[in-house]
Amino acid sequence: MFAACLGAVYIGLALGGEADTVLLGITALAGLLLVAAERVQPRERGWREADGQWWNDLGHFVASFGVGSFAGAWLAGAVVTTPVVAIWPEAWPMAAQAVLGLVVAEFFGYWQHRLLHSVDWLWPLHALHHSTSRMTFFKATRIHALDIGSFTFVSVAPLLALGASTEVVLWVTAFGNFAAQTLSLIHI
């Protein structure tokens, strides 16, 4: 599924699709496929039955990813309007730039996540993600908007500060979206 999603983004862009629309569309389609897969083969048979939290889970999904992610990306672009240190290797092939972008973004994302787990006053922002006993695709997206927004900001801002192109940011975002969705298959 992961490779298929990245391939679909590549094809969508090659056919002239607008980057944000292609990425959002493929991400939404992959999410719907995961929801359908959970209905067919949930991790536990009892998870097919409604737990009364579907609207709550959908609301978290929309608020967290719909608002938090886009707000974090917007804020990164608003704060870092020009490269601080333009050392990005633009001459490298896009695949190599995307790999470097992943290393940079994941480094800062890892430390943001560690801080959420280890700083007492930040833990409530992240505790929501650990608050369910029944893990499904939507429950895996139970993330506070400030949690995912700050993660997006600390992942994107360094790329922009180093001079990475919007295409690099797109591929790093695509990889992150589809990696997160594919990891949610562990719970199905």
Side-chain angles (χ1 to χ4, degrees):
M1 180 169 158
F2 177 77
C5 289
L6 288 177
V9 169
Y10 179 82
I11 291 168
L13 295 175
L15 293 174
E18 199 275 317
D20 289 339
T21 304
V22 169
L23 182 57
L24 185 60
I26 301 298
T27 302
L29 179 60
L32 290 173
L33 290 172
L34 286 173
V35 169
E38 287 177 336
R39 297 299 298 156
V40 173
Q41 188 177 353
R43 182 170 180 207
E44 310 274 336
R45 287 183 192 246
W47 289 6
R48 283 191 180 133
E49 299 171 20
D51 65 355
Q53 296 183 9
W54 194 86
W55 287 107
N56 185 30
D57 296 335
L58 181 62
H60 280 294
F61 174 76
V62 170
S64 298
F65 287 89
V67 175
S69 291
F70 287 105
W74 175 85
L75 185 60
V79 170
V80 185
T81 57
T82 59
V84 176
V85 183
I87 59 170
W88 195 261
E90 295 173 349
W92 288 11
M94 184 50 60
Q97 290 185 58
V99 170
L100 177 60
L102 285 168
V103 170
V104 171
E106 287 298 315
F107 173 81
F108 288 99
Y110 168 81
W111 285 107
Q112 180 262 6
H113 190 219
R114 283 286 303 266
L115 287 171
L116 290 171
H117 276 268
S118 59
V119 175
D120 290 341
W121 60 271
L122 291 175
W123 172 247
L125 290 176
H126 192 64
L128 175 65
H129 180 64
H130 294 278
S131 68
T132 186
S133 59
R134 180 193 288 193
M135 186 57 69
T136 65
F137 171 72
F138 275 136
K139 289 187 186 336
T141 64
R142 268 191 188 188
I143 301 173
H144 195 285
L146 290 175
D147 181 346
I148 193 67
S150 63
F151 178 85
T152 304
F153 177 82
V154 302
S155 298
V156 172
L159 296 173
L160 299 175
L162 294 172
S165 68
T166 55
E167 187 177 4
V168 170
V169 174
L170 171 86
W171 284 111
V172 169
T173 303
F175 186 92
N177 287 359
F178 304 133
Q181 288 180 327
T182 302
L183 287 173
S184 75
L185 290 172
I186 294 169
H187 305 294
I188 297 177

